[in-house]
Each structure stands twice: as structure tokens, then as C-alpha cells.
Amino acid sequence: MKNKFILLFFALYWFICLNVSGANESPTEMRFDSLRTKAQEFINTSDEIYYLDSMLQLAQTKDSVYWECLAMSFMARNYYNRMIPDSLMYWADKVDELALKHKHYKIFFDTFSFYYFYVFPVFLVVSILFSVLLEVFYFILIIIRSQV
């Protein structure tokens, strides 16, 4: 009876150690997670881009579209938070193209949320200015017609 408890204890201990250490993950997934964790230590800095770029290169060599989309989405978020619009639009466009093609909708909508949150106010201001200019032009046209 005592031997069964000792055997059960070691079996349970071995099972817990395997699950805690991430033995279910492949070494590549563990590498992705470690790069992602390291990038999160430097969130919203240029150092984060270094780790995200490493993650993107690893994803491209391993043909992992999911991790590639995720790295590009994190890059877009970094540039959004640091207010660098050119880079934001570049990475968001790449994520939109790749994520929709491979049906990674969660990543697409995560990127969509801050990309269009940045672009929409600019579009709104431009459209309001355009409509005001159109109204002014129309008003001037009416005045010119009434004088003729």
C-alpha cells in the first residue's frame, strides 16, 4: 500500500512538472512565447520592435502565418502607441492582407481597432472640410447667379 502511494506521488509530481514546464508546446512555440514575453517587457519602445522583428523572422522561416500576423499586429500597435502613422499604416495594411487571407479574424480585428481609430478621425476631419468647402462654393455660385 505504501509503495502505491509513493508511485502515485511520483507519477503525479512528474505529470505536474511536465505541464508546468510547457512540455506540450513545441520548441518553436516556446521560442515564440519567449520572444513575445521579452517584447512585452519593452512595450511601446523601439526595443520592442527588435524582439517583434525577431519573432516575425522566426515566423517566416517556420512558415507560421498565425505568429507572423501576430508579430505584425504587435508592431502596428507599437507604432500606434508611439504615434508614428507611416509605420502604423504599413504594418496594419500587411496584417489586413495576410490575416484575412488566412482567416485569422481575431488578429485582423485587433489591428483594425487601433488602425482605423487613428485613420477615422483624420478621414472625418477631411470629409467635414470638404463638405464645408463644397457648401461655400455652392453659396458663391448662388450669389453669382442671382447677380446675373
Side-chain angles (χ1 to χ4, degrees), residues 45-89:
T45 64
S46 57
D47 293 336
E48 180 186 20
I49 296 297
Y50 171 77
Y51 293 104
L52 293 175
D53 189 47
S54 299
M55 193 166 119
L56 180 62
Q57 289 175 1
L58 180 64
Q60 289 170 342
T61 58
K62 300 294 182 183
D63 290 330
S64 177
V65 177
Y66 173 78
W67 284 99
E68 191 175 346
C69 289
L70 199 60
M72 290 188 292
S73 177
F74 288 157
M75 282 187 180
R77 184 221 3 101
N78 178 290
Y79 289 122
Y80 170 76
N81 290 337
R82 291 173 46 211
M83 294 183 224
I84 305 174
D86 295 339
S87 298
L88 162 66
M89 291 182 192

Side-chain angles (χ1 to χ4, degrees), residues 72 76 87-97 111 114-115:
M72 290 188 292
S87 298
L88 162 66
M89 291 182 192
Y90 173 78
W91 287 109
D93 285 342
K94 289 183 77 84
V95 170
D96 288 354
E97 176 184 312
T111 307
F114 46 81
Y115 172 63

